[in-house]
Amino acid sequence: MLWSDPENEPPKEMRDMQDMLRRLGILMALAMVLAMIVLGVR
């Protein structure tokens, strides 16, 4: 490793996209749980 090597860090767009996908996944999981509850009640 040289001192001049760039940091091994993804660009900002990539990190933003990963955050968005993570939030979307959590939202989808919550929606599925809610759907299960609603279908179970009926």
Side-chain angles (χ1 to χ4, degrees), residues 17-32:
M17 200 172 69
Q18 284 175 345
D19 285 345
M20 198 181 70
L21 284 173
R22 196 173 297 121
R23 273 190 228 113
L24 197 69
I26 293 169
L27 210 84
M28 286 293 285
L30 285 174
M32 287 292 285

Side-chain angles (χ1 to χ4, degrees), residues 1-41:
M1 284 287 289
L2 296 171
W3 288 108
S4 59
D5 283 353
E7 289 280 330
N8 189 15
E9 188 176 301
K12 189 182 188 311
E13 294 89 16
M14 188 84 80
R15 278 177 288 159
D16 288 347
M17 200 172 69
Q18 284 175 345
D19 285 345
M20 198 181 70
L21 284 173
R22 196 173 297 121
R23 273 190 228 113
L24 197 69
I26 293 169
L27 210 84
M28 286 293 285
L30 285 174
M32 287 292 285
V33 169
L34 202 69
M36 291 283 187
I37 292 169
V38 168
L39 287 174
V41 166

